[in-house]
Amino acid sequence: MHDDQTPDWDLETLAIRAGHQRTHEQEHGEPIFPTSSFVYGSAAEAARKFGGEEPGNIYSRFTNPTVRTFEQRLAAMEGGERCVATSSGMAAILATALALLQAGDEIVASRSLFGSTVSLFDKYLGKLGITTRYVELSNLDAWEAAITPATKLLFAETPSNPLSEVVDIAVLAELAHRHDALLAIDNCFLTPALQKPIELGADLVIHSATKYLDGQGRAVGGAVVGRDAELEELFGVVRTCGPCLSPFNAWIFTKGLETLNLRMRAHCDNAQALAEWLEAHPAVARVHYSGLPSHPQHALAARQQRGFGAVIGFEVKGGREVAWSVIDATRLLSITGNLGDVKSTITHPGTTTHGRLSDDQKASAGITEGLIRVAVGLEALDDIRADLARGLDALA
């Protein structure tokens, strides 16, 4: 497949066809190139490729055909000029910061971030002299008030983890650009099947490919999509520092993309029905899911998304012990901090995914002791519902 054949294809077609350039073997499925290095026909050819005078593979840390197929396919699906793949989602965020920021620069970020992202910003980027200010995700006035002349990057997850908070990406992008800053959106929860931040004005889209891009919990990886100018700097970080994606994992993610649209629609259908059932359950105090009309940003989510995703946060009446009793009563759902799998997962964010945050940080992010997160998989809805009912019905 040649790149000039792809521009008018729909998302479903891009997910299956984009990025694959057949080798001389004329294979139908995408090949895996599990090689560390590549050979040349002459010393002159090697010199040209190492010097950047001629395109081609050099070393699999930064040039590998299998990784390139995944990158080109995801870039096409997100509507970006280029993609750089990394060894994990956290590596994607780190590489973005190292490429685009320097000592004295500032980040303005949502309070509603994955706990490891907060730790990265505060503990490790802080050591490099990069300051992060946190604001309420949906409060655009707070975003603007936090921006200073030193602000170079705005960073947000939308919808957020695990409360499904949403920010108006188009307005936030305009705000960032007015202050000569870039906007990075973590699109892990929705993927390009449900949301395209670049079309709404974002400069960078960040993924933990570990989640829905794979969809079956098989591999760890990450990616950043955006314009070539910023991505060339980010590619330099991966080339020099080495947080690269393995060819095998890239192949897994490429195959995962083929079914992404179908899976995300099925995830959304299950999650919507489960959220409505949870909202009506007498043991549940509150449900956080943007697909519910009761969600404060339901209208915004419906406008800028093509679906509401599969992650539901709900609060039970009682604290940690009650939440744990509901989790421990499950027999089908997997008790794990990961998500994005065809298998439904359940966790207590306050002691797992956000457990390293301080009490004040948890309070600011809305992480209560009674909060439970369910990433709704593709099992039969009746079975998921019955599994949660074991613990919830005992509380009612």
Side-chain angles (χ1 to χ4, degrees):
M1 295 298 125
H2 299 287
D3 290 343
D4 59 2
Q5 292 179 298
T6 65
D8 295 329
W9 287 346
D10 288 338
L11 179 77
E12 294 87 344
T13 307
L14 293 171
I16 294 171
R17 295 285 184 172
H20 178 203
Q21 297 186 10
R22 292 192 182 101
T23 72
H24 68 281
E25 300 290 352
Q26 290 296 297
E27 72 282 346
H28 190 221
E30 298 82 356
I32 308 174
F33 290 89
T35 180
S36 60
S37 59
F38 304 86
V39 298
Y40 311 100
S42 67
E45 181 190 354
R48 289 193 302 272
K49 288 182 176 176
F50 271 77
E53 299 172 17
E54 180 179 314
N57 301 311
I58 299 173
Y59 188 57
S60 276
R61 186 178 71 242
F62 56 95
T63 50
N64 179 278
T66 312
V67 175
R68 185 163 56 248
T69 295
F70 167 64
E71 290 174 332
Q72 290 179 351
R73 185 166 296 182
L74 184 58
M77 292 174 70
E78 284 283 10
E81 293 178 1
R82 186 175 178 181
C83 170
V84 173
T86 61
S87 57
S88 69
M90 290 308 304
I93 299 173
L94 174 62
T96 299
L98 292 178
L100 304 177
L101 303 174
Q102 60 186 0
D105 287 347
E106 295 178 356
I107 302 169
V108 178
S110 162
R111 289 195 187 99
S112 305
L113 293 180
F114 177 47
S116 292
T117 305
V118 175
S119 296
L120 170 64
F121 286 173
D122 290 350
K123 184 175 182 180
Y124 296 103
L125 296 187
K127 288 182 180 180
L128 304 180
I130 299 168
T131 302
T132 304
R133 292 186 172 85
Y134 297 96
V135 298
E136 183 182 348
L137 176 62
S138 60
N139 189 338
L140 293 166
D141 290 337
W143 283 93
E144 181 151 30
I147 295 174
T148 76
T151 302
K152 302 302 179 185
L153 180 68
L154 274 59
F155 188 97
E157 294 175 15
T158 180
S160 70
N161 177 17
L163 303 183
S164 294
E165 297 172 283
V166 180
V167 69
D168 191 320
I169 296 174
V171 175
L172 193 60
E174 189 278 328
L175 175 62
H177 300 156
R178 182 155 33 93
H179 290 277
D180 297 320
L182 298 173
L183 173 62
I185 296 294
D186 186 325
N187 201 27
C188 173
F189 275 25
L190 294 184
T191 80
L194 302 179
Q195 177 173 265
K196 291 190 176 182
I198 289 174
E199 289 185 353
L200 296 170
D203 303 287
L204 301 163
V205 177
I206 294 177
H207 282 283
S208 171
T210 313
K211 310 302 191 294
Y212 293 105
L213 298 190
D214 172 19
Q216 296 187 53
R218 299 169 294 188
V220 174
V224 184
V225 181
R227 292 184 296 264
D228 188 68
E230 287 81 23
L231 269 293
E232 181 63 24
E233 291 296 319
L234 206 144
F235 171 72
V237 171
V238 173
R239 175 173 182 155
T240 304
C241 302
C244 56
L245 183 65
S246 76
F248 183 72
N249 286 7
W251 181 81
I252 286 176
F253 297 143
T254 300
K255 304 310 288 182
L257 291 177
E258 293 180 350
T259 59
L260 179 65
N261 190 64
L262 293 172
R263 286 187 286 105
M264 294 309 295
R265 297 295 173 186
H267 278 296
C268 289
D269 289 346
N270 263 2
Q272 183 71 39
L274 187 67
E276 292 171 0
W277 175 78
L278 285 168
E279 192 170 46
H281 198 285
V284 175
R286 185 178 181 186
V287 179
H288 303 273
Y289 184 69
S290 61
L292 295 173
S294 59
H295 190 282
Q297 296 154 306
H298 172 71
L300 171 60
R303 187 171 72 246
Q304 75 178 15
Q305 302 169 191
R306 288 180 292 278
F308 301 106
V311 178
I312 299 172
F314 66 95
E315 298 178 47
V316 292
K317 298 174 181 178
R320 179 187 301 185
E321 290 186 6
V322 175
W324 280 12
S325 73
V326 174
I327 294 170
D328 291 347
T330 60
R331 297 293 179 267
L332 172 68
L333 276 64
S334 303
I335 304 175
T336 178
N338 197 33
L339 57 89
D341 204 322
V342 293
K343 300 179 178 72
S344 296
T345 67
I346 188 168
T347 195
H348 182 253
T351 51
T352 59
T353 57
H354 294 69
R356 299 180 69 181
L357 300 183
S358 68
D359 290 342
D360 287 343
Q361 287 174 319
K362 290 178 188 176
S364 296
I367 308 299
T368 66
E369 288 294 293
L371 179 67
I372 297 170
R373 188 191 74 191
V374 173
V376 186
L378 302 186
E379 304 95 341
L381 176 62
D382 286 346
D383 293 333
I384 300 172
R385 198 159 40 202
D387 204 41
L388 284 170
R390 281 192 185 90
L392 290 173
D393 289 352
L395 305 178

